Amino acid sequence: MWSSQLFWKLFLAYAALVLLVVCACVAIVSGWQEEQLVEQVRRRLHDSASLLCNDVKSKLSNKRVGDLQELVRHLGSTTNTRFTLVANDGLVLADSEQPTTAAVAAMENHLGRVEFVNAKRDGGGFARRVSPTLGLPYLYYALAAYDEEKLVGFVRAAQPLASILEEAASIQRLIGLVGIIVAISGLVVTYLLTHRIVQPVQLLTSATQSIASGNFPQRISIPANDELGLLARSFEQMGIELTTRENQLRESMQRQSTILSGMIEGVLAVDQEEHVLFANQAAGRMLGFAPNKIEQRALLEVVRSNDLREIVQKVFATKELVQGELELQTESLLTLEVHATPLPGNPCPGVILVLDNISELKRLESVRQQFIANVSHELKTPLSSIKAYAETLLRGAINDRPTALKFLSRIDDQANRLNELVLDMLTIGRIESGQKALEFADIPLNQVVGKCISEYETRAEAVQISLEDEISSCSTRVHADEEALQQILNNLLDNALKCTPAGGTISLHCREEEGEAVIAVSDTGVGIAPHHHARLFERFYRVDKARSREQGGTGLGLAIVKHLSQAMGGGCFFRKRPPTGEYFHCQNSLGQVER
């Protein structure tokens, strides 16, 4: 309380007002009281002078000085009042303060004194001064004495003011004491009233500061029913409402933050100066920055793209939605579709940028186009050959039996190739659409591998390639579809035989990793360059197109391997085996190992 500036302002203002009022009242009452005492003396002097005038006006006419001196001395001692009788010419005839007539005769002429001048003019006059005769402050009243309308002299009554002033001072001291008591009481009351006013204000101020620092609701204990009490209750209710709204706002912000964080699209908000206000996690992942470290940084500093900046500037210029597409070179080529929306307000306070990563869509579109081109090409080659051979036969070659048989044989080869291509495409289509029903069972892996080895042993011996089977001796059982697993191994072995030169080796391995069976088919062929690895399992992708077609491949074998593996919960990938160099290695994870 003592440190409150408001308290001291109010208290000092009220205290000054109380002291001013008390001092003014004391001064007024003291002056009024002194005036009342003087007025009482005046009336007494007037009455005393009037009574004496009636008794002595005849003697003043006769100027019987001796009798007058005795009379005024007697009256003066009796009434404690000084009486002076003066002739109409100003000569003093008697004075109650003088012991003898001789002393009276020695007094100076009084006609020029104020009270006598006023009495001669108006019939009576007052004066207040120090007596030149006695040297004391006196209050004088002179009354003109008339005898048959003839001025015969003056009667003056005087009262010393020392006793009156002393009495007035005593009363003033009492009034001053009362004033001090009243002032102290007023200050106490002022303190209590100020405290009663300031304390609720301090409580409200403290509550306001707590709310400003985020600590609410606040309980404000002000039991009064006045405006401050009403203000406190209203403030308390406001705190409750703020708490509710803050919770709602926090929940809303959390929901928005969760939504923005969970969005696949990147979101950026920039202000009028093109400084970043907000970025979600997706935008950070796309563009390679930490969202919490880029606020208030320039957009061009965060995303070094003039195309993106031009989109933002276009939104500010048109205040309309702007869409665009841009490419950014990060670790790889990133293609983004940008939707820029202006924030509401005039002028426009900022822009929201929604970045959709369409790199994969672009890639898939490219793959689709390549797939169509590859399918067309793969179909065109055998069809062109069949058409050419058929036309040759129709033009007369059919009559040349050796030639006809040769062409018909080639037509049959191309028809078989076309049939295999169509069948492989249908197989991939059924796998992808889920139409190919897989029948899972517990299969001994060595049994399936043994069938595959037996099918390819003769072919391998013919081209002087040895098959190393390290799986037949293991007792691992897998939960898979036997036909699909057989097709996977057939495709892998077929590719290995095509890619391995005479004198080479093809190996089949199996191991367990974290409860899964991993089958590896490797060869000692020419190897595959690293830039082909990521695309080996794409449809119709060929490392050496001429050699592949020459060997009769459809370009779909590894794609079928990938889709069948994924359908059984596994996957395929290519590895490099040091130090002998690169080799084709498809590793297939086929679900849980059954024991």
Side-chain angles (χ1 to χ4, degrees), residues 86 89-90 108-118 129:
V86 180
D89 57 359
E108 62 182 7
N109 191 291
H110 282 36
L111 190 61
R113 298 189 178 181
V114 176
E115 64 272 18
F116 292 104
V117 172
N118 292 336
R129 65 177 182 276

Side-chain angles (χ1 to χ4, degrees), residues 502-547:
T505 303
I506 298 174
S507 302
L508 284 84
H509 312 274
C510 179
R511 67 179 183 275
E512 295 182 15
E513 288 184 2
E514 299 179 357
E516 293 185 338
V518 179
I519 302 172
V521 178
S522 61
D523 60 63
T524 57
V526 295
I528 300 174
H531 64 274
H532 294 294
H533 294 177
R535 303 188 61 186
L536 280 177
F537 296 96
E538 291 182 9
R539 303 168 188 174
F540 300 112
Y541 186 80
R542 302 174 188 271
V543 176
D544 187 345
K545 296 181 180 181
R547 184 168 178 269

Side-chain angles (χ1 to χ4, degrees), residues 16 109 119 139 156 209 229 333 419 429 437 486 524 539 546:
N109 191 291
L139 180 63
R156 186 181 72 177
Q209 292 173 343
L333 184 63
N419 183 58
Q486 183 83 36
T524 57
R539 303 168 188 174

